[in-house]
Structure formats: structure tokens, C-alpha cells
Amino acid sequence: MNEHIIVRTIIRVLVPFILMFGFYIQFHGEYSPGGGFQAGVIWAAAFIVYSLIHGLEDCMSIIPFGLVRFLASFGVLLYAFVGIVAMLKGGEFLNYSVLTKDAVHGQQLGIMIIELGVGITVFSVVMIIFYIFGMRASS
Amino acid sequence: MMDFIDIASLLNFVMLFFLVLTALAVVHVKNLLISTILLSVFSLLMAAQYLVLAAPDVAITEAAVGAGISTILLLMTLFYVGHEEKKTAGNLFVPILIFTIVGSALIFVTFYMPEFGAEFSPAQMHVAPYYITNSPEQIGIPNVVTSILASYRGFDTMGETVVILTAAIAVMLLLGRFDKKDES
């Protein structure tokens, strides 16, 4: 795709902004629309757009297939881990109020961590599906 | 105020008109590549519609997933199956009959739905008042959607995340190749 100079330039400029917007959607989700699910998809979109101009191999050298496969499970485990910590602290499963001394603060901490878990899982799952389709296309 | 309502209903009318137009075009067009692009346009219009209906969380999801990711996945699928739609085999009478019955039933039921934003509709009377009144002091974050999704309904959201992981596992099992080359 070396000849598409306009596409290449625009994508090169846009990718950092898309990634940054993903972080905004992720960590500002408690104040504005958004959250882990949307952020994960936006991160994945940034890498997919990147791989459109630089090829799948380049993208896989940044985010290897083994890494996304690990991260997909890691996000879910992070989510469940918060629930188990709440149980160890004497509350119910996923009752974030007991995470810290202050109940409201505990809720906010819990929501932030589980949203991060959701974001990581969604990002990795979209990347896994994209990689598998792409690898079949290139083989 | 009157002007605002008129503009909003005009906007709704234009968007719904184009939604129907795009949906019809998706079915009519024989080239699957054009169908996919039209589906992406449909998702974008749908996202705008969700925004007008005051559901920005859903609008972001629709724009990112519907217009972005699913279009790319469909395009990659077209890479394998080709761009031309195959000729439909068999009689179309039964599908059209089912479509007509189900479609008219859905339109008929629409007239019995509560108006958009109706205060005393069942959806607003059940647990929603509890969430809205208690979220500020129990959770302390301004976005009630996030506090319902992540805290009040945290267990459901965990299930959803597991479902997404399951999708990836299914794709890996069906399409992935488990030779040493993939282990990077």
C-alpha cells in the first residue's frame, strides 16, 4: 500500500489521537459517556487502522498474538479478582463498598478496576478475531 | 422552545427516512461490498439516532462496533467469499409471508408502547428510581449508566465480559491454526 500517500499520512496522524481518545473514554467513563467496552473497541480500531497501512506483521510485532491471548483472559480474571478481594474483606462477591474504609471511595475504586478489566478483554478479543482473520488471509 | 421541538422532530424524520432508505438499499444491492459499506452507513445513522434519544453510551458503542469493527470483519469475510451475491434458490413465498406477518405484528404492537420518555411507563417504575436516587450517595459518580453497569449490575457485566471472551475462544477454535508459528 505504498502508493496511497494520503491514506498513509492521515492514518499516521490519526492513530495517536484515536489511542488517546480510547484512554479518555476508559478513564473518564464515570463522568461522561463511555467505559471499558467502548474504550477497548476504540483501542483495537487504532491498531487495526495501523495494520491497514503497515501490514499485519508489523502490527503483530507491536502487539503479539500470544500477548492478546493472555490479556483476553487477564481482563476477565482482573474483574473476578476484584469480586474475590471484596469477599475476602467480608463483603459479598463484587460488593466494592468494602474495598476501602470509605464505602463511596471503595465503589469508585472497584468500578475503575473492573472497567479496566472489561476494556482489556474487549480490546484483546477484537484483536484476536482480527489477527485470526488476517492470518488466514495472508496464508 | 417550539422551534427546538420542530427542529428535533424534523431531524428525527430525516434520520429515520435515511435509515429506512439505507436498509432497503442493503437488501436491494447485489454487490456485497456495497452492502457492507451501506451497513456501515446504517450503523452511523443509528448511532446518531441513539444520540438524539439521549443514549450517548449506546451511540459510542454503535459507532465504534457497528460502523467500525464489524465493517472491517465483514470486509475480511468478503475477502474469502467474494463480492457477488449468489442467486437465491427456491421459492420466496414462505419467507415473504413470515416477514409480512412478523413485521405487521411488530408495527401493530408499537401503537401500544408507552410514549418515548413517558414518566409512568413500567420501565421507569421498577428499579430505575432506586438507582437514580441512591447513585449519588452510594457510588458518588455522575454517570448513572456506569454506576448501574459496573456496580449495581456488576455481576451481569462480568457475565457479558465472559461472553466476549467466549467469542474469542470460539473463533480461535474454529479458525485458528495451532502450529508453532502462531506461538509468538
Side-chain angles (χ1 to χ4, degrees):
Chain A
M1 227 193 178
N2 280 321
E3 68 274 25
H4 297 137
I5 186 142
I6 296 174
V7 178
R8 287 177 67 92
T9 315
I10 290 175
I11 286 177
R12 192 170 294 169
V13 172
L14 270 182
V15 162
F17 287 99
I18 299 174
L19 278 175
M20 213 52 222
F21 183 63
F23 277 103
Y24 168 78
I25 291 281
Q26 170 80 54
F27 293 111
H28 214 260
E30 285 126 50
Y31 298 92
S32 56
F37 188 87
Q38 291 90 335
V41 175
I42 289 170
W43 286 333
F47 283 103
I48 288 173
V49 159
Y50 177 86
S51 73
L52 285 183
I53 52 164
H54 291 282
L56 202 64
E57 279 74 28
D58 254 34
C59 192
M60 285 179 106
S61 65
I62 303 171
I63 309 265
F65 187 65
L67 180 71
V68 282
R69 225 162 50 178
F70 166 76
L71 284 177
S73 324
F74 175 76
V76 174
L77 288 175
L78 186 68
Y79 200 135
F81 175 73
V82 174
I84 288 168
V85 168
M87 280 171 89
L88 289 177
K89 290 214 164 196
E92 297 90 350
F93 185 65
L94 290 173
N95 180 4
Y96 318 129
S97 298
V98 295
L99 287 178
T100 53
K101 283 207 175 67
D102 181 31
V104 173
H105 185 243
Q107 286 283 346
Q108 288 168 354
L109 185 73
I111 287 175
M112 200 163 162
I113 298 173
I114 65 114
E115 288 277 10
L116 190 64
V118 173
I120 290 171
T121 295
V122 171
F123 164 71
S124 317
V125 165
V126 175
M127 290 309 282
I128 286 173
I129 296 174
F130 176 71
Y131 277 166
I132 285 180
F133 272 63
M135 280 190 298
R136 279 176 71 95
S138 56
S139 66
Chain B
M1 194 59 199
M2 220 28 228
D3 281 344
F4 175 73
I5 292 169
D6 282 341
I7 289 171
S9 55
L10 186 73
L11 199 66
N12 263 331
F13 178 77
V14 170
M15 261 192 299
L16 288 174
F17 174 74
F18 277 108
L19 265 180
V20 173
L21 203 70
T22 327
L24 288 175
V26 168
V27 180
H28 180 72
V29 166
K30 289 280 174 264
N31 189 323
L32 292 175
L33 189 66
I34 301 173
S35 284
T36 311
I37 303 299
L38 282 171
L39 268 181
S40 172
V41 173
F42 183 86
S43 283
L44 212 59
L45 284 167
M46 208 62 221
Q49 186 64 50
Y50 286 136
L51 202 62
V52 172
L53 290 173
D57 288 86
V58 187
I60 294 178
T61 314
E62 180 70 43
V65 179
I69 301 292
S70 66
T71 307
I72 288 180
L73 292 181
L74 279 174
L75 285 176
M76 291 173 101
T77 313
L78 288 189
F79 184 82
Y80 305 117
V81 298
H83 291 178
E84 284 305 313
E85 189 178 328
K86 279 188 187 140
K87 258 223 157 329
T88 318
N91 200 341
L92 277 178
F93 177 71
V94 177
I96 287 175
L97 187 74
I98 295 173
F99 168 78
T100 316
I101 292 172
V102 174
S104 43
L106 284 174
I107 292 172
F108 180 70
V109 166
T110 315
F111 294 116
Y112 291 93
M113 274 173 66
E115 256 181 68
F116 174 65
E119 202 179 339
F120 298 107
S121 63
Q124 320 279 12
M125 300 295 286
H126 189 46
V127 284
Y130 175 83
Y131 293 152
I132 291 167
T133 41
N134 289 309
S135 179
E137 71 241 35
Q138 283 182 349
I139 318 286
I141 59 174
N143 189 357
V144 185
V145 176
T146 303
S147 72
I148 292 173
L149 271 182
S151 186
Y152 291 117
R153 296 272 165 207
F155 200 69
D156 297 9
T157 310
M158 193 179 123
E160 278 169 33
T161 318
V162 174
V163 166
I164 293 166
L165 179 67
T166 314
I169 293 171
V171 170
M172 274 196 282
L173 287 175
L174 288 172
L175 301 174
R177 300 161 303 161
F178 288 94
D179 35 292
K180 280 283 168 237
K181 217 174 75 191
D182 294 348
E183 302 282 343
S184 47

